[in-house]
């Protein structure tokens, strides 16, 4: 038996008895960043494939969400900094070893592109509101001509953004729950899945709803596979990983993880989407909203639970 | 040059003098500490063993906080000391998340703060404040690259351990056991 006490009265704010450095803004940002990555990836992909006319929600309507999500996410990140007005220090250096540095630079590039992308569709989304300035109209035309180039940039950038939201956590070897290589791909797939769900919500034609229903179904199956891999990896891991695992399997986060993420957020929407594709009359908004809630809860569970796990010495 | 600290757990009485000396020397804000004492009880009565030790930033050779810092505010000097430049720190918390020893905290002014091995005193040829006040002289400080230094000699002749070596950080605070 071993018992350890701090006797010098160590009670550091937000650190003792367990870490509470990252709060809801980080979880929210990880969700919104993943969502934006998914939306921008599909917008880019559909454009590169030359199918813009067939899938207007993916390239046009849903992409209004991505700059909003990125802006809200960035505000949440900024809100969580404790030395806020030094944030520009992120952009005085590139630290190859730090995922957060990568993320900051990718956000600096992808956020303006997401705005320009929506602006290139301005007159199609808002046909009634003409722009009054000739220069803005010219700029819109210029962007329209360069949509394909933007799409080529968006595909790799959105993948990096999606993976980075997971790698950000997995780079911390001090938190055994986060420290597994599956987290990057898992968050990317989850982000793509929430992106596809948003497109389903905004799609008007049956054809588009069905295509993204199929894509979402495939992504959900992939995500379940990755979660199984994550749990298996931890079961085969060292003692600290086994302890971390306990939080998700038979611990205080089991209800949230299995109930909200796996059952309500993945299995239920997968079944509903499958039945819908088979011809049953199910409003597609139901599985799409479940996927979005599941994606959000996944981020909250991982951020909160990860901070409880540690090396005990 | 490789600074390291060696702490004799057999001599430590857990008086917390090192904690107070650090808070005074470094103007550590009230409610915070850069070093602390832990009391570990092993075994079951009547066969119990008590271990007291003073803990702080381990100035790891493979420092995860330096690796994770997005701005380069957390950095390592050639002599192995890990420091934070307050004016470069954005307070993102990545280094706090990355530290297996939970040795860092957010200063009320926003930037991240931690033990510096009293870098400012070393420059003047003085020992770190905690080492200099220890009433039982259980703390030793010196250069591990010099095979004849006091710390090198102690590690050659005594049994020692480091904290959570399985985290892969190569900590540079050694505990004689």
């Amino acid at each position: 038996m071993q018992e350890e006490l701090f006797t010098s009265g160590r009670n550091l704010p937000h650190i003792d008895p367990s870490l509470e450095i990252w709060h809801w803004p980080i979880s929210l940002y990880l969700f919104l960043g993943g969502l934006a990555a998914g939306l921008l990836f599909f917008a880019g992909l559909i454009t590169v494939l030359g199918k813009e006319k067939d899938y207007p929600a993916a390239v046009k309507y849903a992409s209004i969400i991505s700059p909003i999500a990125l802006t809200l996410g960035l505000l949440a990140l900024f809100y969580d900094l404790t030395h806020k007005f030094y944030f520009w220090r992120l952009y005085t250096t590139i630290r190859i070893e730090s995922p957060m540095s990568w993320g900051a630079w990718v956000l600096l590039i992808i956020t303006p592109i997401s705005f320009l992308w929506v602006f290139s569709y301005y007159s199609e989304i808002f046909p009634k509101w003409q722009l009054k300035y000739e220069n803005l109209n010219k700029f819109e035309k210029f962007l329209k001509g360069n949509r394909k180039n933007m799409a080529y940039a968006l595909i790799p950038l959105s993948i990096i953004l999606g993976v980075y939201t997971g790698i950000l956590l997995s780079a911390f070897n001090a938190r055994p729950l986060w420290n597994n290589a599956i987290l990057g791909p898992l968050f990317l797939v989850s982000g793509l899945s929430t992106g596809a769900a948003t497109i389903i919500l905004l799609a008007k034609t049956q054809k588009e709803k069905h295509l993204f229903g199929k894509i979402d179904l495939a992504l959900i199956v992939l995500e379940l596979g990755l979660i199984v891999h994550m749990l298996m990896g931890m079961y085969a891991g060292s003692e600290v990983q086994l302890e971390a695992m306990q939080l998700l399997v038979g611990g205080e986060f089991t209800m949230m993880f299995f109930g909200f993420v796996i059952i309500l957020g993945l299995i239920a929407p997968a079944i509903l989407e499958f039945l819908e594709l088979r011809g049953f009359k199910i409003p597609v908004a139901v599985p799409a909203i479940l996927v979005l809630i599941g994606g959000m809860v996944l981020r909250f569970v991982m951020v909160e639970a990860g901070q409880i796990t540690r090396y005990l010495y | 040059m490789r600074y390291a600290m060696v702490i004799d757990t057999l001599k430590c009485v857990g008086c917390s003098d090192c904690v107070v000396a650090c808070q005074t020397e470094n103007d550590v804000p009230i409610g915070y500490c850069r070093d602390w004492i832990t009391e570990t009880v092993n075994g079951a009565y009547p066969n119990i063993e008590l271990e007291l030790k003073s803990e702080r930033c381990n100035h790891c050779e493979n420092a995860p906080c330096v690796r994770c810092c997005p701005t380069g505010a957390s950095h390592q000097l050639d002599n192995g000391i890990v420091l934070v430049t307050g004016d470069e720190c954005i307070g993102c918390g990545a280094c706090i998340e990355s530290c297996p020893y939970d040795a860092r905290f957010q200063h009320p002014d926003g930037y991240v703060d931690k033990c510096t091995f009293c870098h400012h005193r070393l420059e003047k040829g003085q020992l770190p404040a905690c080492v200099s006040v220890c009433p039982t002289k259980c703390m030793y400080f010196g250069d591990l690259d010099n095979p004849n230094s006091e710390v090198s000699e102690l590690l050659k002749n005594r049994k020692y351990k480091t904290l959570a070596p399985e985290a892969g950080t190569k900590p540079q605070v050694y505990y004689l056991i």
Side-chain angles (χ1 to χ4, degrees):
Chain A
M1 202 189 109
Q2 186 176 29
E3 194 184 14
E4 186 165 280
L5 296 169
F6 291 122
T7 60
S8 70
R10 184 180 121 162
N11 189 21
L12 291 170
H14 310 302
I15 292 172
D16 294 318
S18 73
L19 216 56
E20 282 169 14
I21 290 293
W22 284 354
H23 310 95
W24 62 267
I26 301 292
S27 319
L28 182 69
Y29 159 71
L30 294 179
F31 170 71
L32 292 173
L35 174 66
L39 290 171
L40 292 170
F41 175 80
F42 287 121
L45 187 69
I46 297 288
T47 306
V48 166
L49 295 175
K51 298 269 169 74
E52 302 102 307
K53 293 254 150 47
D54 298 338
Y55 304 109
V59 292
K60 218 188 287 176
Y61 304 114
S63 57
I64 304 174
I65 310 276
S66 40
I68 298 172
L70 285 173
T71 308
L72 286 176
L74 286 172
L75 284 175
L77 282 185
F78 183 71
Y79 172 74
D80 207 57
L81 296 180
T82 54
H83 218 205
K84 288 188 174 51
F85 296 102
Y86 290 83
F87 79 94
W88 52 272
R89 284 286 184 181
L90 284 169
Y91 299 111
T92 56
T93 176
I94 297 181
R95 303 252 316 111
I96 302 291
E97 288 179 302
S98 164
M100 200 181 274
S101 176
W102 276 74
W105 280 100
V106 168
L107 282 167
L108 187 70
I109 302 167
I110 203 166
T111 311
I113 297 182
S114 77
F115 275 97
L116 295 177
W117 182 269
V118 175
F119 191 63
S120 81
Y121 276 107
Y122 182 86
S123 54
E124 289 176 48
I125 302 174
F126 307 108
K128 285 176 196 160
W129 301 337
Q130 286 295 312
L131 289 169
K132 291 202 178 107
Y133 300 99
E134 195 45 40
N135 284 342
L136 280 179
N137 281 320
K138 267 189 208 157
F139 187 52
E140 193 196 338
K141 276 214 182 72
F142 167 77
L143 289 175
K144 211 177 252 178
N146 280 297
R147 243 181 235 156
K148 216 152 208 159
N149 293 333
M150 282 197 275
Y152 278 117
L154 278 179
I155 292 176
L157 285 171
S158 59
I159 291 177
I160 297 174
L161 178 65
V163 172
Y164 136 76
T165 58
I167 299 284
L168 178 71
L169 300 183
S170 66
F172 299 127
N173 69 331
R175 312 293 150 205
L177 181 67
W178 292 347
N179 188 17
N180 68 78
I182 295 287
L183 220 54
L186 175 65
F187 276 31
L188 171 67
V189 172
S190 169
L192 291 176
S193 167
T194 51
T198 310
I199 295 170
I200 295 173
L201 278 178
L202 296 173
K204 292 197 178 80
T205 67
Q206 206 62 11
K207 185 184 177 187
E208 188 165 17
K209 278 183 189 172
H210 274 173
L211 175 78
F212 281 93
K214 279 181 202 159
I215 291 176
D216 202 28
L217 190 54
L219 289 169
I220 288 174
V221 173
L222 189 56
E223 196 178 333
L224 281 169
L226 289 174
I227 287 178
V228 171
H229 267 292
M230 182 177 83
L231 298 183
M232 276 173 62
M234 291 202 155
Y235 265 127
S238 57
E239 191 188 345
V240 285
Q241 282 184 310
L242 285 169
E243 273 171 19
M245 186 78 270
Q246 293 294 318
L247 288 174
L248 299 184
V249 184
E252 59 181 290
F253 288 91
T254 305
M255 182 60 206
M256 290 298 268
F257 188 66
F258 278 91
F260 283 87
V261 178
I262 296 188
I263 296 173
L264 275 181
L266 293 169
I267 295 176
I271 293 170
L272 291 175
E273 276 172 7
F274 180 74
L275 291 177
E276 208 273 333
L277 289 171
R278 275 300 177 88
F280 286 85
K281 287 233 177 311
I282 293 166
V284 280
V286 176
I289 288 171
L290 285 177
V291 165
L292 286 171
I293 294 174
M296 176 115 77
V297 177
L298 172 69
R299 300 331 193 270
F300 274 86
V301 167
M302 290 311 282
V303 170
E304 303 272 325
Q307 292 187 94
I308 296 177
T309 64
R310 56 177 296 189
Y311 277 86
L312 281 173
Y313 53 89
Chain B
M1 191 73 150
R2 191 23 169 134
Y3 280 129
M5 194 175 275
V6 175
I7 297 171
D8 193 341
T9 60
L10 302 182
K11 277 165 72 186
C12 177
V13 293
C15 66
S16 299
D17 216 1
C18 48
V19 179
V20 176
C22 172
Q23 287 166 333
T24 316
E25 171 70 32
N26 296 301
D27 273 331
V28 180
I30 292 170
Y32 293 79
C33 56
R34 291 181 180 185
D35 59 350
W36 58 93
I37 306 284
T38 62
E39 183 184 298
T40 313
V41 179
N42 265 310
Y45 182 81
N47 299 312
I48 53 172
E49 196 181 63
L50 174 72
E51 184 184 87
L52 291 161
K53 57 187 183 303
S54 169
E55 295 183 8
R56 60 194 39 58
C57 168
N58 282 270
H59 296 270
C60 305
E61 198 174 309
N62 179 22
C65 48
V66 172
R67 176 165 52 81
C68 288
C69 178
T71 66
S74 281
H75 59 285
Q76 192 159 28
L77 303 179
D78 289 339
N79 56 23
I81 296 181
V82 176
L83 293 177
V84 184
T85 311
D87 287 352
E88 289 179 18
C89 175
I90 61 172
C92 66
C95 55
I96 300 177
E97 299 283 357
S98 78
C99 177
Y101 310 102
D102 289 344
R104 292 169 162 247
F105 58 86
Q106 277 159 335
H107 192 280
D109 289 346
Y111 56 86
V112 168
D113 202 13
K114 67 169 197 68
C115 161
T116 60
F117 267 173
C118 280
H119 180 243
H120 61 288
R121 286 173 59 94
L122 297 177
E123 278 175 344
K124 287 186 264 174
Q126 296 168 317
L127 284 170
C130 52
V131 177
S132 72
V133 298
C134 181
T136 63
K137 305 223 180 329
C138 77
M139 301 167 83
Y140 307 88
F141 188 83
D143 179 12
L144 274 190
D145 279 351
N146 174 4
N148 300 318
S149 67
E150 195 178 22
V151 284
S152 299
E153 290 290 340
L154 280 166
L155 295 185
K156 249 183 266 171
N157 299 320
R158 294 274 303 270
K159 255 203 214 169
Y160 64 86
K161 67 173 179 185
T162 53
L163 299 180
E166 65 273 21
T169 50
K170 297 192 181 158
Q172 297 300 313
V173 175
Y174 297 83
Y175 294 93
L176 302 178
I177 48 176

